[in-house]
Amino acid sequence: MILSTSLFLVACSNISIGQNANSMDNWTRIKKRGYVIIGVDDTFVPMSFRQKNGKLVGYDIDLATAVFKLYGLKVSFQTIDWSMNTTELRNGTIDLIWNGFSKTPSRANKVAFSQTYLNSTQVLVSLKTNKLVRPASLKNKALGVQTGSSGYNDVINYPNIYKKQIKNHYPILYDSFTNAFIDLNSQRIQGLLLDSTYANYYISHQKEPDRFFEIQSPFPKEEFAVGLRKSDIILRQKINHALIKLAKEQTIARIDYKWFKNRIHSPLTQKFT
C-alpha cells in the first residue's frame, strides 16, 4: 500500500509539473534554478553527438551554450527519444528542443519556434554502386529514414516522390542515422533520406567519401529553430535576442566554420556581413 501510494504521488507530481510548465512562462523559474534543460538526440552528427570518450559535442551544443552564457545560465543537455520530443516538452521534463529541429506546420501546432538559425535540405544518400540518380531510381528499393525526422514526414506528406516508389511503399525506420548508415553500407537499404547537414558532415569524415552519392530531394527548404512551449514567451524573446547578438559579434560565424567550414552559413550571419 505504501509503495502504491508513493507511485501515485510521483505520477501526480509529474502531471503537475507538465501542467504548470505548459500554462506559465517559465523564464523566472529557469533563472532561479540556474540552468536550462535541453532535449537532444545524441547521435545527430554534427548537431549533437558523443565523441568516443562520451563527451557531448556539436553545432547545437556550442550555439545553445553560447546563448545561455549571455544570461549567466548553464545548460543541461538531456538525451531523449527523438520521436517523443514534443511529449517530453509538454510533460515538463525538458525546457527546449534544440537539435536540428525543423519548423513544420504540424510541429507549429504543438510548439513555438525561435527564429531560424540554420537552413538545411533533405538529400537522398546512396552508394554510387547502386546507381541512384533520381528519386524514381528507388523503385522497389529500400529507403531508410529516422523515426520522427523531417525526412520521414516528407516521405509521408509527399507520397508521389518516394513513398509510391520504394519497396513495400513504406520506409525502413531507424532510431539513429548511425545505424541507418551501417545498413546503407551493408546494402540492407539502398537509399537514406536525411538532412544535408548530417549527410555532408558524415560523408566528408569517411575514409572513402567518393563511395557515396547525394541527390537533392524536391522538398521545401528546412529551417532549424529552437522548439519551445507556447507559454514561454519571455524565454523565446531571450533566445531570439541572444541569437542576433551572437550573429553581430560573429560568434555564430565562427561556429558555422568550426562545424561546416565554408559549406553552410547561418541566415543570421548573412544579415551582419
Side-chain angles (χ1 to χ4, degrees), residues 1 6 37 110 113 116 126 268 272:
M1 184 179 294
S6 298
I37 304 172
K110 301 176 182 178
F113 286 105
T116 301
S126 67
L268 292 173
F272 303 106

Side-chain angles (χ1 to χ4, degrees), residues 73-265:
L73 291 171
K74 294 183 179 180
V75 182
S76 174
F77 295 100
Q78 181 170 311
T79 301
I80 60 173
D81 179 344
W82 192 243
S83 65
M84 298 291 288
N85 50 33
T86 57
T87 300
E88 297 277 10
L89 185 67
R90 184 174 62 249
N91 290 345
T93 52
I94 60 175
D95 299 311
L96 301 169
I97 304 170
W98 196 332
N99 194 189
F101 192 50
S102 302
K103 293 180 177 180
T104 67
S106 61
R107 286 172 174 171
N109 290 329
K110 301 176 182 178
V111 304
F113 286 105
S114 72
Q115 61 183 311
T116 301
Y117 65 84
L118 200 66
N119 291 323
S120 184
T121 58
Q122 287 292 315
V123 294
L124 175 65
V125 176
S126 67
L127 298 178
K128 285 185 176 179
T129 53
N130 289 329
K131 298 180 180 180
L132 301 184
V133 295
R134 61 182 64 87
S137 302
L138 264 177
K139 188 172 181 62
N140 296 324
K141 293 182 172 63
L143 172 68
V145 296
Q146 185 186 33
T147 302
S149 68
S150 297
Y152 171 80
N153 293 334
D154 285 338
V155 169
I156 301 303
N157 295 331
Y158 302 91
N160 289 333
I161 298 175
Y162 287 118
K163 192 173 186 294
K164 291 183 178 180
Q165 309 285 344
I166 58 179
K167 186 177 181 180
N168 298 324
H169 303 299
Y170 202 79
I172 307 298
L173 303 181
Y174 293 91
D175 291 333
S176 73
F177 286 125
T178 302
N179 293 331
F181 265 105
I182 291 174
D183 277 5
L184 181 66
N185 284 311
S186 300
Q187 294 281 19
R188 284 188 283 270
I189 58 175
Q190 286 71 54
L192 177 59
L193 187 66
L194 71 165
D195 290 318
S196 57
T197 49
Y198 187 108
N200 291 335
Y201 185 90
Y202 180 92
I203 293 172
S204 65
H205 285 74
Q206 297 304 296
K207 291 182 179 179
E208 299 178 85
D210 291 340
R211 294 176 60 238
F212 297 92
F213 186 72
E214 287 186 40
I215 304 170
Q216 288 291 328
S217 295
F219 298 122
K221 178 181 66 177
E222 293 181 35
E223 299 181 29
F224 287 173
V226 185
L228 309 92
R229 286 178 286 267
K230 293 190 176 184
S231 61
D232 279 325
I233 297 172
I234 296 178
L235 178 57
R236 181 173 178 269
Q237 292 172 343
K238 295 290 185 181
I239 291 172
N240 284 339
H241 174 77
L243 288 173
I244 292 173
K245 181 177 176 60
L246 293 173
K248 288 181 178 179
E249 296 173 350
Q250 298 301 303
T251 300
I252 292 181
R254 289 191 289 272
I255 296 174
D256 287 350
Y257 186 80
K258 174 182 177 181
W259 292 103
F260 300 112
K261 299 303 184 226
N262 291 317
R263 296 194 304 272
I264 290 179
H265 300 282

